[in-house]
Amino acid sequence: MANNRLSDLLQILVYLEIHHGEVITSERLASSLNSNPSLVRQMIGQLRKAELLCSRRGVAGATLTRSPEEITVYDVYKAIDSEDTLLKVDYRTSQECSVGIAFPNVLEKHYQKIQIEAESQMKQITIAQLVAETKDDIAQHVE
């Protein structure tokens, strides 16, 4: 099952930039994410810990610590507390079967290459780009 934390963290940053200058509460962000304010506050804490957001406890609103052109999807990906990779090999295969023994090692090599390529692509996408693309998409739906 895929984890959607990266998507949610990115949406928070994009939302804050699109609504820059407005008072943004965790309730308002939660509404955008179809989530709950408590979970949003946890995610804001993650972004704050990664030094991507600054906010003050008890005060509505948060701001990016760097310009949106300087924050990449990779920066946000690294903010996730997990050391997990995008793809996981199941190593709990049969040790009585030659394929069960060999295949996880074979697959791991490919997954490592995919991870490297994915991270390389993440480094190319900025919050500014996501904001611009989101605004364009919103405009298409408003017309």
Side-chain angles (χ1 to χ4, degrees):
M1 188 148 121
N3 185 328
N4 59 358
R5 181 57 59 107
L6 179 59
S7 173
D8 289 348
L9 293 175
L10 290 167
Q11 185 171 332
I12 288 170
L13 295 176
V14 168
Y15 190 96
L16 290 171
E17 275 304 298
I18 287 176
H19 295 283
H20 185 77
E22 299 176 28
V23 175
I24 309 296
T25 63
S26 55
E27 288 79 11
R28 188 168 165 187
L29 284 168
S31 176
S32 177
L33 290 166
N34 199 27
S35 184
N36 68 64
S38 176
L39 184 56
V40 167
R41 286 188 289 275
Q42 288 175 11
M43 288 187 279
I44 288 172
Q46 270 186 297
L47 292 167
R48 200 173 46 237
K49 182 178 175 184
E51 299 180 352
L52 298 173
L53 270 187
C54 58
S55 65
R56 293 183 298 170
R57 187 177 297 272
V59 178
T63 56
L64 279 62
T65 58
R66 294 180 270 159
S67 75
E69 292 81 12
E70 296 175 312
I71 300 174
T72 66
V73 170
Y74 180 76
D75 296 324
V76 180
Y77 172 69
K78 295 311 282 181
I80 298 171
D81 286 337
S82 175
E83 290 294 322
D84 289 343
T85 56
L86 295 172
L87 303 171
K88 307 271 184 276
V89 174
D90 183 1
Y91 282 99
R92 296 171 294 148
T93 54
S94 172
Q95 295 304 296
E96 305 299 320
C97 170
S98 59
V99 173
I101 293 168
F103 184 69
N105 297 323
V106 170
L107 193 57
E108 182 67 39
K109 292 174 194 172
H110 291 286
Y111 279 8
Q112 286 174 1
K113 289 177 189 175
I114 292 168
Q115 183 73 31
I116 291 166
E117 183 61 31
E119 288 181 8
S120 174
Q121 291 296 313
M122 287 183 212
K123 291 175 184 178
Q124 304 304 310
I125 305 166
T126 66
I127 296 302
Q129 178 182 345
L130 294 176
V131 167
E133 291 174 9
T134 301
K135 286 180 176 179
D136 288 345
D137 197 74
I138 290 168
Q140 289 177 8
H141 290 92
V142 173
E143 296 175 350

